[in-house]
Amino acid sequence: YYLDGVTAPWVASSASWGHILDGLDQFWSSQHPPEYGALFYCDMAMGAESQARWHVAEDAAREAVILYAQSGNRVDEAGARHYLAQAAEAAGDPQLADAEYQRAGEMFSHATPKDTASRATLAIERASLELRENRIASASALLNQLDAVLPALRNTYAQLSFYETLGQLHLRSGQPALAEQDLLRAVRLVESSGLSLASDDDRLVWHRYNSGAYRTLLEIYSRVQHDNQKSFAFEEWYRGAPLRAVNHSLAGAVTSQDSPSLNTALSAYAPDRLHIPRGAAILSWIAFPSGLAVWLDDDQGPTLIWQNVPSDQLDATVARFAAHCADPASDPRLLHTDARRLYSWLVRPFQSRLQHATTLIIVSDPSITAVPFPAL
């Protein structure tokens, strides 16, 4: 089991599936304690998560729940149900996620005091689900219950999740100033924890895995405040986080007791410090559930355009366009329809300024990386 190559939800070796299946063959071929098989199914779920194969992760988590239930270990069963809830939510099954969060919470409520962090993490993640399902009052009640527990927690992940979820709650409740405070606390935890990781790869993965607080802050600066300078500077701060963890060049900003200094971010990534040469332009995008932020920075300074394009519509258009471009037999009319739509979202807002650019640098976002940009 310890050689199966799965070390975290985001790290699975290319040989992991074969090792897991070999282990399960041995498990089912003779008598073994059920928790042995549960361990393999948990790693199968994490291996599937590393490839965003959420239905596989959900099915593997179900098997782990069954085996942990047979073992009689209530804490491990509660943890497996917690993971099943997360996988079900990611697979688009919020009803199962809600039921499993509730079941796991009931089981953790009878656990020992040493499981306080697990119970708190479960409550925070259930509050996050409630928020995504637009049950704001229920999410607020869950988070309020944790106010007394949070200071005693030494679990960085639980604290990070709490402040990130609380920030999203305040944003949804029309309190962007409070949301900004909460999210900056979460960002501080992400960055200070990243400094202690052992390798560059680990730091990069850590920041990608915990990018939610950065992106929600960017949504505040872009959609709510519509602040060109602040949103551009913080976008650069966000993208540069793993590099700062390596260099420690801004260690004073990321280890403060309250939050990373936004003034430091604005100063370090101020547009006038980039010294963009005449004729060059940087076009960048970040997609949010509520819309798309488009930045252009050239010798005239940064400009932000907010596009009201829901993320599901953007994702579907990108996927279709990439598939049509990859298929010589695709219908040109459909291809050009999606091409014009993507161009209108990604490029047209700055069409006139880009006509004077001799060098164009594009900075993509995961949701639109599949776009074959020369085709636009």
Side-chain angles (χ1 to χ4, degrees):
Y1 165 73
Y2 287 104
L3 300 177
D4 74 1
V6 179
T7 58
W10 53 81
V11 180
S13 73
S14 58
S16 293
W17 293 103
H19 292 312
I20 290 171
L21 293 174
D22 288 344
L24 285 172
D25 281 343
Q26 293 185 39
F27 171 77
W28 288 112
S29 65
S30 57
Q31 295 294 321
H32 294 285
E35 58 265 28
Y36 285 20
L39 288 170
F40 279 111
Y41 281 117
C42 286
D43 273 5
M44 180 181 285
M46 290 195 290
E49 179 180 349
S50 73
Q51 300 175 11
R53 299 169 66 183
W54 289 108
H55 293 288
V56 177
E58 180 181 339
D59 284 344
R62 288 179 190 270
E63 297 296 327
V65 166
I66 291 170
L67 290 171
Y68 275 130
Q70 292 176 7
S71 76
N73 188 322
R74 303 278 287 174
V75 173
D76 283 346
E77 181 187 347
R81 290 188 181 278
H82 180 193
Y83 185 86
L84 174 56
Q86 294 176 302
E89 183 182 358
D93 192 349
Q95 287 185 328
L96 176 61
D98 196 30
E100 290 299 331
Y101 274 132
Q102 182 171 347
R103 184 76 181 274
E106 291 169 353
M107 298 182 74
F108 272 127
S109 67
H110 300 295
T112 62
K114 71 177 182 179
D115 297 306
T116 300
S118 298
R119 291 199 299 270
T121 302
L122 181 69
I124 293 163
E125 291 176 349
R126 187 167 182 198
S128 181
L129 173 64
E130 298 285 334
L131 197 56
R132 287 190 288 276
E133 292 295 303
N134 206 33
R135 296 192 288 264
I136 293 177
S138 177
S140 179
L142 283 166
L143 293 177
N144 286 337
Q145 294 172 7
L146 294 168
D147 275 343
V149 178
L150 193 71
L153 287 181
R154 295 292 181 265
N155 186 303
T156 300
Y157 177 76
Q159 293 180 342
L160 193 161
S161 298
F162 176 82
Y163 286 120
E164 182 181 334
T165 306
L166 188 63
Q168 292 169 352
L169 174 66
H170 283 143
L171 180 60
R172 294 280 295 276
S173 303
Q175 303 176 80
L178 288 177
E180 183 178 10
Q181 293 176 18
D182 299 325
L183 293 164
L184 282 171
R185 290 190 180 98
V187 166
R188 179 190 64 80
L189 288 167
V190 174
E191 300 212 353
S192 59
S193 299
L195 293 175
S196 64
L197 296 176
S199 72
D200 293 353
D201 286 346
D202 286 343
R203 295 184 188 104
L204 182 61
V205 169
W206 171 253
H207 283 90
R208 285 181 178 173
Y209 198 75
N210 294 287
S211 64
Y214 293 93
R215 297 177 75 92
T216 307
L217 271 169
L218 267 171
E219 184 177 1
I220 292 174
Y221 300 150
S222 305
R223 178 178 64 84
V224 179
Q225 298 180 1
H226 205 85
D227 187 317
N228 283 359
Q229 299 279 342
K230 186 187 289 188
S231 67
F232 180 82
F234 198 81
E235 180 218 10
E236 294 297 304
W237 175 277
Y238 158 48
R239 294 188 192 274
L243 184 60
R244 284 196 307 281
V246 176
N247 292 341
H248 291 212
S249 59
L250 296 178
V254 299
T255 58
S256 83
Q257 292 301 309
D258 297 318
S259 67
S261 167
L262 184 57
N263 289 332
T264 302
L266 296 177
S267 173
Y269 294 96
D272 58 1
R273 297 189 60 176
L274 295 181
H275 304 298
I276 297 176
R278 183 176 296 277
I282 301 173
L283 187 60
S284 57
W285 310 273
I286 289 188
F288 304 94
S290 57
L292 177 71
V294 187
W295 289 273
L296 178 69
D297 193 31
D298 55 16
D299 55 9
Q300 300 179 41
T303 304
L304 164 70
I305 297 290
W306 180 265
Q307 299 276 60
N308 290 313
V309 184
S311 58
D312 54 351
Q313 185 179 1
L314 177 65
D315 292 345
T317 307
V318 168
R320 279 198 311 270
F321 183 60
H324 287 152
C325 286
D327 182 5
S330 63
D331 187 332
R333 293 170 299 176
L334 297 177
L335 185 148
H336 286 298
T337 297
D338 285 332
R340 283 191 292 270
R341 183 175 291 120
L342 287 171
Y343 185 86
S344 70
W345 294 337
L346 302 177
V347 182
R348 180 167 293 146
F350 297 111
Q351 180 173 310
S352 60
R353 279 171 63 176
L354 288 172
Q355 289 175 353
H356 306 291
T358 56
T359 302
L360 177 62
I361 300 164
I362 62 171
V363 185
S364 187
D365 195 48
S367 58
I368 54 177
T369 299
V371 173
F373 292 103
L376 296 182

